[in-house]
Amino acid sequence: MDLAKQYNNFADDYSHLAHGQDYSMSNKYSKEVFYKHLDFVKPEAKLLDIGCGDGIDMLHYQKLGAKVFGLDASEEMVAIAKNKLPNSEIKLGMLEDIPFEDNYFDIILSKYAIHISPDISPIFSEIYRVLKPNGIMMYLTKHPFRQYLERKESNGNYFEQKIVDSHVFQNQITFKEPTHTLGEYLNNFLFEKFDVQMFDEHWEPCAEQIDGKKYPGFFILKARKRQ
């Protein structure tokens, strides 16, 4: 199964559910947290949203004055996004092979997308390639601790990658996702090529709550590309 294509199966349902007002039934909380960190988005900045989904975040970035571009692996999501933003360049493609030229963007943003790839390293390499020197990347992704609990194994191996079911919006949608370690995100490439400016982790109210525990469901990382 191509995990990046699974949104084709529920694109309309996800787009409808994700933007509701109930924290347990939408992405409202993570969106609010992410948007609070966007004070660096300046007018006319060239901004790429990777894993842009239905384009709702691109509309927000556009309101901040950015010139927005989008990339997503789901044909259905790209179609919805293009309908919302007919004058923006939104491409179908994989995050591991970003179809834009070197040093093209001032900003690259992503929400709940990069963890879908079994191998995150090529995504970081591509982000570095298409960002201008001193450009900023900021992404929100599923927390490895949440993924570990979603294994629902008594003797689960945190370091062994496994495809797990992730239930959101009170079990109305289920994703199949590869697990990751924190070290895959905080790797040597990141510290060699970027200056990390912010790391922020939060509970995720729209996710399945495992055994009534409260634990980090997502984190946000912001970094500037070195010259």
Side-chain angles (χ1 to χ4, degrees):
M1 178 184 179
D2 188 342
L3 298 178
K5 299 287 187 180
Q6 65 184 300
Y7 281 80
N8 285 334
N9 300 323
F10 41 71
D12 288 330
D13 289 340
Y14 180 85
S15 183
H16 174 72
L17 290 166
H19 311 313
Q21 295 302 305
D22 183 343
Y23 283 156
S24 68
M25 290 291 291
S26 72
N27 285 335
K28 185 172 187 280
Y29 179 71
S30 59
K31 182 188 297 184
E32 288 177 352
V33 174
F34 193 77
Y35 286 4
K36 287 178 181 177
H37 291 293
L38 293 174
D39 56 344
F40 59 91
V41 178
K42 305 301 181 185
E44 299 305 314
K46 292 175 73 172
L47 186 157
L48 174 64
D49 185 358
I50 58 172
C52 65
D54 64 4
I56 193 70
D57 293 315
M58 292 177 64
L59 288 173
H60 181 74
Y61 308 148
Q62 191 175 68
K63 290 177 182 177
L64 297 178
K67 182 178 181 182
V68 295
F69 299 75
L71 174 67
D72 201 277
S74 164
E75 292 88 351
E76 296 296 328
M77 283 296 193
V78 167
I80 297 172
K82 286 184 174 181
N83 188 55
K84 285 186 172 75
L85 298 110
N87 297 318
S88 294
E89 188 172 357
I90 303 172
K91 295 187 177 185
L92 178 69
M94 304 299 290
L95 277 58
E96 299 90 342
D97 186 17
I98 298 175
F100 289 95
E101 63 189 67
D102 297 357
N103 304 313
Y104 192 71
F105 294 103
D106 301 294
I107 298 168
I108 295 182
L109 302 179
S110 182
K111 285 175 60 253
Y112 273 135
I114 65 175
H115 68 275
I116 298 295
S117 175
D119 187 0
I120 298 170
S121 293
I123 299 176
F124 288 153
S125 296
E126 281 291 272
I127 290 173
Y128 180 82
R129 180 183 65 79
V130 300
L131 263 182
K132 296 177 183 177
N134 288 320
I136 292 178
M137 77 162 173
M138 188 172 80
Y139 65 83
L140 179 155
T141 195
K142 183 173 286 189
H143 201 292
F145 193 80
R146 171 181 164 190
Q147 290 193 310
Y148 181 66
L149 291 179
E150 287 179 342
R151 290 171 176 262
K152 298 179 181 176
E153 298 172 337
S154 58
N155 296 304
N157 181 354
Y158 167 80
F159 298 98
E160 179 184 6
Q161 188 172 81
K162 182 177 181 179
I163 304 298
V164 299
D165 289 339
S166 180
H167 306 286
V168 296
F169 310 148
Q170 296 185 6
N171 296 325
Q172 294 200 55
I173 290 181
T174 298
F175 302 107
K176 290 191 176 295
E177 299 170 339
T179 59
H180 296 284
T181 67
L182 193 59
E184 291 176 63
Y185 297 101
L186 305 179
N187 58 21
N188 289 337
F189 183 86
L190 174 71
F191 292 107
E192 290 172 358
K193 302 295 187 179
F194 292 87
D195 292 317
V196 177
Q197 298 183 322
M198 180 270 295
F199 181 90
D200 190 19
E201 57 185 359
H202 288 262
W203 173 62
E204 177 54 274
C206 81
E208 179 184 9
Q209 308 304 307
I210 308 297
D211 297 331
K213 298 180 174 71
K214 194 155 187 177
Y215 47 86
F218 67 87
F219 72 85
I220 302 171
L221 186 143
K222 174 186 171 187
R224 184 184 297 275
K225 176 180 173 177
R226 292 178 179 162
Q227 294 195 52

